[in-house]
Amino acid sequence: MQGDKQVIDILNKVLTSELTSINQFFLHARMFKNWGLSALNEKSYKKSIKDMKQADELIERVLMLEGLPNLQRLGSLRIGESTEEMLKCDMEFQVEQIALLKQAIALCEQAQDYVTRDILEEILEYEEEHIDWIETQQYQIDNMGIENYLQSQL
């Protein structure tokens, strides 16, 4: 099925974002694991795996629309050197990713590609939930102090 060129282009941008996210969250997971912060490791690792599944779904959709998925592009990783900095980097990344997803959803709506729109809306919902989780962690750090917070993540 021949897809709209603009939809395929924006799907490749979202794919680039997902591929970048996989790497950022995977590296953060391994850093948390190295520091003994098992709860943060598990959350970041699961996020990385979920992003991989979302990337797979995007690749399949691009191929179905007779486009060529671009797996060669990768955005810049934002890697923190402390837990607080890592959460801040992840938040900045997520905010940009959500803006891109909203733009892509609007374009799909305009192109009347409702199946692609639904796929992107599902991804958006997950990313918004992850932002909420990051905000909760930042709130806990602010109210518990970093030492107590890190102890709770062991």
Side-chain angles (χ1 to χ4, degrees):
M1 174 180 123
Q2 184 68 39
D4 182 283
K5 184 181 176 347
Q6 288 183 307
V7 169
I8 292 169
D9 288 345
I10 201 138
L11 278 175
N12 270 314
K13 287 180 183 173
V14 174
L15 178 58
T16 296
S17 179
E18 288 297 328
L19 294 172
T20 305
S21 185
I22 291 166
N23 288 295
Q24 180 166 325
F25 283 95
F26 184 77
L27 180 53
H28 278 171
R30 290 305 168 242
M31 291 169 72
F32 287 135
K33 183 179 181 181
N34 184 56
W35 297 340
L37 302 171
S38 1
L40 291 172
N41 166 55
E42 184 177 335
K43 184 70 174 180
S44 291
Y45 181 75
K46 285 182 179 180
K47 170 81 170 92
S48 176
I49 297 301
K50 178 68 173 178
D51 289 340
M52 193 179 308
K53 291 176 182 177
Q54 291 170 336
D56 181 44
E57 191 171 14
L58 293 169
I59 290 166
E60 288 184 2
R61 186 66 183 163
V62 170
L63 290 170
M64 194 212 155
L65 296 174
E66 298 181 20
L68 183 62
N70 187 341
L71 280 83
Q72 297 176 359
R73 268 190 302 201
L74 187 64
S76 296
L77 301 182
R78 297 179 180 138
I79 305 302
E81 295 181 19
S82 68
T83 300
E84 293 160 298
E85 190 179 358
M86 291 158 80
L87 290 169
K88 181 178 181 278
C89 290
D90 290 345
M91 177 62 87
E92 290 169 356
F93 180 83
Q94 290 293 124
V95 168
E96 287 179 12
Q97 189 175 37
I98 283 178
L100 174 60
L101 285 164
K102 288 179 178 178
Q103 177 188 358
I105 289 167
L107 180 68
C108 289
E109 184 75 30
Q110 184 181 10
Q112 298 182 341
D113 184 343
Y114 304 113
V115 173
T116 303
R117 178 202 62 196
D118 290 347
I119 291 168
L120 294 171
E121 284 178 341
E122 207 173 290
I123 294 171
L124 175 64
E125 182 180 347
Y126 177 78
E127 301 305 342
E128 285 178 342
E129 288 172 6
H130 195 74
I131 277 191
D132 184 56
W133 179 83
I134 294 171
E135 288 174 339
T136 300
Q137 305 317 297
Q138 292 173 326
Y139 174 83
Q140 289 178 357
I141 290 170
D142 290 344
N143 287 285
M144 302 168 86
I146 188 64
E147 293 82 10
N148 290 332
Y149 174 79
L150 291 176
Q151 188 174 16
S152 74
Q153 298 304 309
L154 298 175

